[in-house]
Amino acid sequence: MSDKTEVNLTGVKQSKGVWLVKVPKYLSQQWDKATEKGEVGKITIGKKQGKTEVRFSLDEELTALGDVGEKDASLQVPRDHSFTMHTVDGQTMAVFSQSSADEISLEGMVVHRAECRPVVSDNYMKLKKLQIKASTKPQRLSQQLERAVTTVFKPVANHDFNVEHEKKKKSEGKMVRAERQVVLDMLFSAFEKHQYYNIKDLVDITKQPVTYLKEIMREIGTYNSKGAHQSTWELKPEYRHYQSAEEEEMQTD
Amino acid sequence: MTSLGGSSSSATEYTVRVPKNTSKKYNIMAFNSGDRVNCSTWTQARMERDMSARRIYGEEESAEGAAGSEFGKKHREEARRKKYGIVTREFKGEDQPWILKVNGKAGKRFRGLKKGGVTENASYYIFTQCPDGAFEAFPVHGWYNFTPQFKHRTLTAEEAEEEWGRRNKVVNHFSIMLQRRFREQERGGEDDDDENEKSGKKKKKGGGRGGDLRIHDLEEDLEMSSDDSDSSMGDDGEGKTKAKKATGKGKAKKKKRKSSDKEALEDSDDGDYEGLEVDYMSDESSSSDEELEKGKSSKGEHHPKGIDEASESEEESEEEKQNEEEAKDEEEEEEEGKKTPVQPEKKKKKDSSGESESSDDSDIEGETASALFMKKRTPPKRGGRGSAGSSRTGSRPGTPSIDSASTSNTLSAAASKLEQGKRPTLGPSTDSPAAKRLKMEPSSQSPVPSGKSTPQPPSGKSTPSSSDVQLTEEAVRRYLIRKPMTTKDLLKKFQTKRTGLSSEQTVNVLAQILKRLNPERKNVNDKMHFYLTE
């Protein structure tokens, strides 16, 4: 559980009022391209015939869709937007910020909600058309091929992987039965690490033939045919002692 | 900032900046306006993530190494999941809800759940105005809806089931109160009952009113008759229910349920008393004449009323309580012109009549007489009993003595029932006015059966017909056996008005009695309670 962070309430105490503005995606994308200074445009708040009007105009440089610096005439983000203001009666909204150091501070209360809407222009319509086209494109596409693909699979007498495997087997040869004691030591040290083992894994670890190994296991361990650890071998209770140091406790032949 | 002067408009221009280097992530904390949250009133706040979902999400680490683990288990599990295409959702710390605690431990708690889909199609920005007049816009990273969290007392499963079972039962508060009052009287105390006490501060007021003014005896009669029939358990339960209502004790719930079961059966024959004219009676001076009159009038009007009532009740078998209430209302209205103020009062206080507490000997006798009458009335109404009823009715004037005898039997019976919590023979119960639907067992014809059901005169509880409040060891013992009480409760029981002792005297006598009784002590809710076990 993370520690409780004391919330810095200075913002709220000062009754800082903020606006919550909903901005279209393309506009926020353009804003991301802004320079270090961060200026993206201008807001004009005026009163027109008694009504408050808020307008936003995007900076010239940021109007180009695509990389900054290019001026592609066909793809231009509209410059003029208007903010429609709403009150926040239905909800009490506050803004809190979380810094990278996990410090939380309450920045202020939302006093107005606004939506940023572009002033409709041909440019905007074109932009929207492109967007719609892009979004309606299916993500998966069926494509017809003219010729069959022949590069991937070739018929082979014996696969590479298989060949290697056989070579390995030959080089290793059959597993030799080591001394019983040696095997037991190996087993005990293995069982120190884990309680349940598959016979295959034990063969892997001890490099002993299966029958021999099974014989030994039958002596010192039990086989779980049912239950949580199915088809695994574990040491007999008298041989295991998982709390304290296993070495001393485990008996040998 | 440039100001543009326009003819009809004035506008100010501000630059908008979107700072690039903010390490801070801005989020919205939204409250419902109905919760009336005012952030400026917060003195202190703490916030943390609610990580309780982590364990649900599996990151469960089974024992690693040594005991309990398998070799290669993890790999196998992974391979298995891949094979079946199981995609487990990660536990993302970022998306966990917030817990906001305001003003320390005693303050409010809020839980903030992340609202999804906020940043998918449109971006939200926070515009703040800087001192230099320019606006700064910060993108909103996440939106959390905060709701207040309360520490309500929640019911356990059993309690919830109980409550659910009770929801369909219409609780007949009127007869509850009647029965309780009757029981109180029986216990030889015109003392306020436990239940009375507890249920009522309301009742207390009613009681107070009753002390001075008794609206009419019928309720007492009703009480008594109903009480006879009611099981002591039921009564207890009812009383306790009342208590519970007032004091919020939970233990009575079960009892209440039982009692309400019985309640349902014992609908009071309120309609029986419709049209009965009863004068206001004061504490001391109720005369048997009044009783007689009442009895007669009630008798006279009973039958038609009974029939009506019967039909009524048959119609609304489910709403017997309602009926009762209505009947009672009518009754009261007819009887006294002053019903209206009294009634709502009564209803509110769930007091069938306010006068339960105060009854004198004579009153009791008279009441029981009427009660007995009422019982008799029920038989004809039911059409099942008949015999004893008519004979009794005729002998009204002569019956008081008999009645009192049987009354005492009844009282003791009821008292003993209370004591032992046994369900009495249904006879008496049916007789009670509360029994609207029951085809009363034949045994329930007269009060005598209630005498029959008295085979267990409670040892210490010879409830004499005297209804005086006596601050006796007996009385105290009774109370303490019944339930643990504090000294304060005991004092309340033996009100100075009733016992005729001054408060000091009461205290002294009570102290002596307690010394003699030497009850066991138990601490409940930080208060010392006494109780006796027998």
Side-chain angles (χ1 to χ4, degrees), chain A residues 17-246:
Chain A
V18 298
W19 288 2
L20 177 67
V21 184
K22 193 173 187 184
V23 169
K25 264 281 164 127
Y26 65 85
L27 199 57
S28 65
Q29 277 168 8
Q30 299 302 101
W31 287 3
D32 286 338
K33 297 184 196 160
T35 57
E36 244 328 294
K37 204 165 144 226
E39 272 201 26
V40 292
K42 293 198 181 18
I43 273 192
T44 324
I45 303 177
K47 254 190 159 31
K48 230 187 193 157
Q49 286 114 21
K51 274 195 160 186
T52 327
E53 208 184 72
V54 183
R55 269 178 282 125
F56 170 75
S57 81
L58 191 60
D59 269 355
E60 186 69 39
E61 305 95 61
L62 293 172
T63 52
L65 255 189
D67 298 326
V68 182
E70 289 175 23
K71 275 260 170 80
D72 191 354
S74 59
L75 288 167
Q76 278 221 327
V77 167
R79 284 197 68 193
D80 287 319
H81 301 76
S82 66
F83 277 22
T84 43
M85 309 291 286
H86 306 284
T87 51
V88 282
D89 290 334
Q91 268 185 317
T92 321
M93 286 184 282
V95 182
F96 74 97
S97 68
Q98 200 182 4
S99 70
S100 45
D102 279 337
E103 276 170 26
I104 302 173
S105 65
L106 217 50
E107 298 289 331
M109 305 284 296
V110 174
V111 288
H112 278 115
R113 278 187 82 150
E115 280 169 26
C116 183
R117 291 208 172 103
V119 170
V120 178
S121 61
D122 281 342
N123 220 350
Y124 181 62
M125 288 309 184
K126 277 192 220 156
L127 179 71
K128 274 294 163 189
K129 219 197 298 185
L130 284 169
Q131 273 186 3
I132 292 169
K133 279 192 185 156
S135 64
T136 51
K137 225 190 284 184
Q139 282 146 341
R140 291 160 193 246
L141 180 66
S142 301
Q143 200 179 19
Q144 190 184 23
L145 299 170
E146 290 154 5
R147 295 174 67 213
V149 179
T150 50
T151 49
V152 189
F153 296 114
K154 277 195 195 140
V156 139
N158 202 355
H159 291 284
D160 293 336
F161 163 75
N162 236 351
V163 164
E164 278 175 35
H165 188 70
E166 278 165 21
K167 265 202 208 149
K168 223 174 69 163
K169 277 240 175 116
K170 272 218 179 137
S171 62
E172 277 186 23
K174 300 236 168 142
M175 294 178 271
V176 182
R177 293 192 179 197
E179 282 292 306
R180 203 184 187 86
Q181 200 52 45
V182 177
V183 178
L184 280 169
D185 286 338
M186 275 197 281
L187 284 174
F188 286 134
S189 54
F191 275 104
E192 270 171 49
K193 299 195 206 90
H194 297 274
Q195 187 174 352
Y196 302 99
Y197 277 89
N198 225 331
I199 193 69
K200 285 201 205 133
D201 299 326
L202 287 173
V203 167
D204 235 356
I205 293 171
T206 58
K207 311 257 184 288
Q208 301 296 297
V210 184
T211 37
Y212 183 46
L213 198 53
K214 270 202 193 158
E215 219 184 281
I216 300 177
M217 279 313 296
R218 242 175 263 133
E219 197 187 312
I220 61 161
T222 49
Y223 181 73
N224 295 316
S225 49
K226 299 191 231 308
H229 313 273
Q230 203 158 354
S231 63
T232 56
W233 284 88
E234 62 170 338
L235 286 180
K236 286 193 184 149
E238 57 265 22
Y239 287 95
R240 59 181 140 119
H241 202 115
Y242 280 113
Q243 264 69 35
S244 46
E246 278 88 327

Side-chain angles (χ1 to χ4, degrees), chain A residues 5-7 13 19 21 23 25 28 32 38 40-41 43 45 47 92 94 96 98 193-196 229, chain B residues 9 12-14 16 18 20 24-25 27 29 31 42 45-47 66 68-71 119 121 123 125 127:
Chain A
T5 344
E6 185 76 36
V7 177
K13 296 279 192 231
W19 288 2
V21 184
V23 169
K25 264 281 164 127
S28 65
D32 286 338
V40 292
I43 273 192
I45 303 177
K47 254 190 159 31
T92 321
F96 74 97
Q98 200 182 4
K193 299 195 206 90
H194 297 274
Q195 187 174 352
Y196 302 99
H229 313 273
Chain B
S9 62
T12 38
E13 214 179 69
Y14 309 91
V16 176
V18 178
K20 283 265 173 180
K24 284 210 242 184
K25 291 202 182 128
N27 303 285
M29 184 192 283
F31 299 93
W42 296 353
R46 280 185 206 279
M47 221 156 93
S69 72
E70 277 183 41
F71 177 80
T119 47
N121 297 316
S123 346
Y125 279 80
F127 275 52

Side-chain angles (χ1 to χ4, degrees), chain B residues 46-336:
Chain B
R46 280 185 206 279
M47 221 156 93
E48 60 173 351
R49 290 271 184 195
D50 178 12
M51 297 293 207
S52 55
R54 195 198 280 273
R55 50 187 166 78
I56 302 171
Y57 259 104
E59 307 252 339
E60 285 168 39
E61 304 290 331
S62 40
E64 265 190 29
S69 72
E70 277 183 41
F71 177 80
K73 179 148 183 115
K74 273 205 195 128
H75 300 285
R76 246 186 302 133
E77 282 296 318
E78 223 182 282
R80 187 176 160 273
R81 260 187 257 128
K82 269 196 192 155
K83 175 174 151 194
Y84 291 116
I86 299 169
V87 178
T88 43
R89 275 188 292 171
E90 299 166 23
F91 171 87
K92 280 191 248 166
E94 273 272 302
D95 293 345
Q96 297 311 304
W98 287 103
I99 295 202
L100 169 68
K101 294 180 189 161
V102 179
N103 295 339
K105 208 134 211 266
K108 284 198 160 192
R109 273 192 79 170
F110 294 92
R111 190 151 185 266
L113 295 160
K114 186 161 189 179
K115 182 166 143 175
V118 170
T119 47
E120 269 167 22
N121 297 316
S123 346
Y124 281 94
Y125 279 80
I126 298 286
F127 275 52
T128 56
Q129 194 161 31
C130 297
D132 67 348
F135 278 90
E136 280 198 337
F138 303 99
V140 166
H141 193 75
W143 186 301
Y144 293 86
N145 288 318
F146 280 76
T147 50
Q149 290 214 299
F150 308 107
K151 306 166 206 109
H152 290 303
R153 257 183 324 129
T154 50
L155 300 176
T156 64
E158 288 85 24
E159 287 169 15
E161 280 176 31
E162 272 183 56
E163 290 293 331
W164 179 258
R166 263 198 290 145
R167 78 195 231 288
N168 281 325
K169 294 190 168 45
V170 181
V171 179
N172 184 356
H173 299 133
F174 169 66
S175 56
I176 290 172
M177 295 318 292
L178 284 185
Q179 281 141 30
R180 192 183 305 155
R181 224 170 295 118
F182 181 48
R183 250 181 300 124
E184 295 161 28
Q185 287 160 4
E186 279 183 8
R187 281 201 248 123
E190 286 13 329
D191 301 346
D192 304 345
D193 232 83
D194 272 3
E195 295 91 356
N196 256 349
E197 290 262 338
K198 291 168 196 153
S199 70
K201 299 163 193 157
K202 302 176 185 171
K203 237 201 160 197
K204 251 315 180 180
K205 292 182 214 154
R209 186 164 57 83
D212 302 329
L213 166 72
R214 212 178 310 124
I215 301 309
H216 64 97
D217 279 343
L218 287 181
E219 282 123 358
E220 295 178 18
D221 297 344
L222 284 173
E223 233 187 68
M224 301 203 298
S225 46
S226 68
D227 206 26
D228 267 357
S229 49
D230 213 354
S231 75
S232 50
M233 267 303 270
D235 286 347
D236 251 3
E238 293 303 343
K240 289 220 169 100
T241 313
K242 286 293 152 193
K244 186 192 180 310
K245 282 184 187 151
T247 59
K249 291 183 192 174
K251 58 181 174 178
K253 273 189 177 164
K254 287 209 166 96
K255 287 194 174 175
K256 183 183 179 188
R257 200 145 132 267
K258 287 186 205 156
S259 64
S260 55
D261 283 330
K262 291 158 201 163
E263 270 289 309
L265 306 178
E266 296 150 340
D267 241 6
S268 96
D269 301 333
D270 280 340
D272 296 352
Y273 315 118
E274 281 175 34
L276 287 178
E277 309 260 341
V278 183
D279 289 337
Y280 283 92
M281 286 175 285
S282 68
D283 228 354
E284 321 314 323
S285 65
S286 73
S287 61
S288 37
D289 283 3
E290 288 179 16
E291 315 286 356
L292 284 175
E293 280 172 18
K294 201 182 26 148
K296 279 186 190 149
S297 55
S298 51
K299 179 186 37 157
E301 301 175 23
H302 165 62
H303 294 285
K305 288 271 153 49
I307 293 167
D308 285 351
E309 169 105 328
S311 56
E312 259 183 340
S313 57
E314 273 147 29
E315 283 165 10
E316 315 167 294
S317 54
E318 293 294 342
E319 299 162 4
E320 47 197 53
K321 317 285 184 189
Q322 230 179 41
N323 245 351
E324 256 188 50
E325 293 283 350
E326 290 167 3
K328 190 77 190 142
D329 294 354
E330 293 171 3
E331 208 179 289
E332 292 179 357
E333 276 169 13
E334 289 170 19
E335 285 157 357
E336 296 145 72

Side-chain angles (χ1 to χ4, degrees), chain B residues 182-189 227-228 230-233 235-236 407-422 424 450 453-454 456-464 478 481-482:
Chain B
F182 181 48
R183 250 181 300 124
E184 295 161 28
Q185 287 160 4
E186 279 183 8
R187 281 201 248 123
D227 206 26
D228 267 357
D230 213 354
S231 75
S232 50
M233 267 303 270
D235 286 347
D236 251 3
T407 307
S408 51
N409 273 346
T410 318
L411 290 171
S412 349
S416 63
K417 282 177 226 158
L418 270 176
E419 169 110 337
Q420 273 118 20
K422 285 191 202 162
S450 46
S453 63
T454 330
Q456 340 103 351
S459 42
K461 265 211 182 182
S462 50
T463 318
R478 242 185 298 119
I481 284 175
R482 207 171 146 263

